[in-house]
Amino acid sequence: MVLLHGLFGSGNNLGALARALQDCRCVFTVDLPNHGRSDWMEEATLPAMADCLRDWMLHRGIHSAQIVGHSLGGKVAMQLALSQPQLVSALVVADIAPVEYPPHHNEVFDALDAVAAAACDSRAAAAQLMARHLAEDQVVQFLLASLRRDSDGVYRWRFNLEGLKRGYAAVRAEPDMRAPYRGPVLFIKGGDSKYIMEAHRSHILHLFPGAAMKIMSGCGHWLHAQRPSLFNSLVRRFLLEQSTG
C-alpha cells in the first residue's frame, strides 16, 4: 500500500493511517517530488509526478499496489491509475476531484515567502510571520512541519518552494486520461469542504465508473487529521474488502 500526501506536505502527514494499516499491509508513505526528502523536479506536472511514482514502485519490485492519496496526492494517485492502471489494484482519493481548480493558495505562498526571506532562527518566529498571512492556526502548524534547521541555525523549507510556485498551475490541472480506470475507487469527502462538489459527480464517474463516495461530517479538507479514527476506519474497511473480493 502506498500513501501520498498533499501540497506542501510530506509522507509523515499520513502517519496515523499508516499505523492503522501496518498490521495487514506493507505500507509505504512516500514524499512526492519537490516535497520532503524526495528529489526536486524542474517541471512537476501530474503526469511527471505519476511517472516518478511508477519508477519508484518498479525499482522496489512493486508491480501492483493499493494507493491512497489526499489532495495533491489524490490527484497524483488518480493520474497513475488513469495512465498506468496495471499498477493500481485499488484507489482511495481523499477530498479532491479530478478537475482543474482555480488558484486559491496566494496567502499560503505569501506566508512561505515571508519565512524564506526572513532567515528565521526558531519555529516560533516562523509561526509569527505566517500568522500575519494565514488566519487558520491549523494551516500554520501543518506548514511548520516542513521546516528544517540548517547547520547555520536558520530554518528553511524542506520542499522546493520556487519549484512549487512555478508548477502551481500544473498541479491544479485536471489529470490526463487515456481511458477510464475501471478498478475499485473510494472518494472520501470532508462534509464541510468544497473540494468535491455535486457538480463533479458525473465527471468522477466518467473517469472512474466504479467509484463509491463517502462523506465525513464535521470536518473539512483536513479530514484525516480532524477525524482520524473515522478516516482510518473508512480506508481500512474499503481496502480490505477489495482483498477479500
Side-chain angles (χ1 to χ4, degrees):
M1 183 177 297
V2 179
L3 311 183
L4 305 176
H5 62 84
L7 185 63
F8 309 119
S10 70
N12 292 336
N13 298 150
L14 295 172
L17 176 61
R19 291 188 291 274
L21 296 167
Q22 63 186 1
D23 66 317
C24 60
R25 290 289 185 277
C26 178
V27 182
F28 296 90
T29 55
V30 177
D31 291 340
L32 292 173
N34 284 341
H35 293 78
R37 292 174 173 81
S38 286
D39 292 340
W40 290 7
M41 297 178 66
E42 187 65 28
E43 295 186 17
T45 63
L46 294 178
M49 286 192 282
D51 286 348
C52 279
L53 180 58
R54 174 203 62 200
D55 294 344
W56 177 90
M57 291 173 64
L58 295 179
H59 179 71
R60 284 156 181 79
I62 303 172
H63 297 282
S64 180
Q66 296 178 328
I67 313 289
V68 181
H70 170 249
S71 197
L72 173 60
K75 276 201 164 183
V76 175
M78 287 187 281
Q79 182 63 71
L80 183 68
L82 291 167
S83 59
Q84 307 279 338
Q86 73 281 2
L87 295 178
V88 182
S89 60
L91 177 64
V92 177
V93 179
D95 210 57
I96 200 76
V99 299
E100 181 174 358
Y101 288 90
H104 57 284
H105 288 94
N106 292 343
E107 294 83 0
V108 174
F109 281 120
D110 288 344
L112 299 177
D113 282 337
V115 172
C120 297
D121 60 2
S122 70
R123 291 181 182 275
Q128 288 181 343
L129 274 178
M130 286 195 287
R132 299 175 187 174
H133 302 275
L134 300 170
E136 295 184 51
D137 184 62
Q138 183 178 19
V139 177
V140 172
Q141 296 304 316
F142 164 72
L143 294 170
L144 285 174
S146 289
L147 275 178
R148 60 179 175 83
R149 188 173 183 267
D150 277 355
S151 58
D152 57 2
V154 174
Y155 281 84
R156 306 185 192 280
W157 295 116
R158 190 178 295 278
F159 46 66
N160 179 6
L161 176 55
E162 294 304 315
L164 294 178
K165 288 161 66 176
R166 287 194 305 271
Y168 183 55
V171 300
R172 289 190 290 105
E174 176 181 339
D176 291 344
M177 182 187 75
R178 298 177 184 174
Y181 173 75
R182 300 191 180 278
V185 184
L186 175 65
F187 283 80
I188 306 178
K189 168 182 166 57
D192 300 330
S193 171
K194 296 183 179 179
Y195 275 82
I196 300 178
M197 305 294 287
E198 180 60 32
H200 300 149
R201 181 182 294 272
S202 62
H203 189 56
I204 289 173
L205 292 175
H206 174 63
L207 298 183
F208 304 98
M213 174 77 74
K214 296 289 186 181
I215 299 177
M216 289 176 49
S217 62
C219 56
H221 188 56
W222 308 95
L223 65 180
H224 61 291
Q226 293 169 314
R227 300 194 65 185
S229 295
L230 177 58
F231 179 77
N232 296 347
S233 175
L234 289 172
V235 174
R236 180 186 174 97
R237 185 182 308 119
F238 174 77
L239 294 179
L240 287 180
E241 287 173 353
Q242 309 317 310
S243 299
T244 59

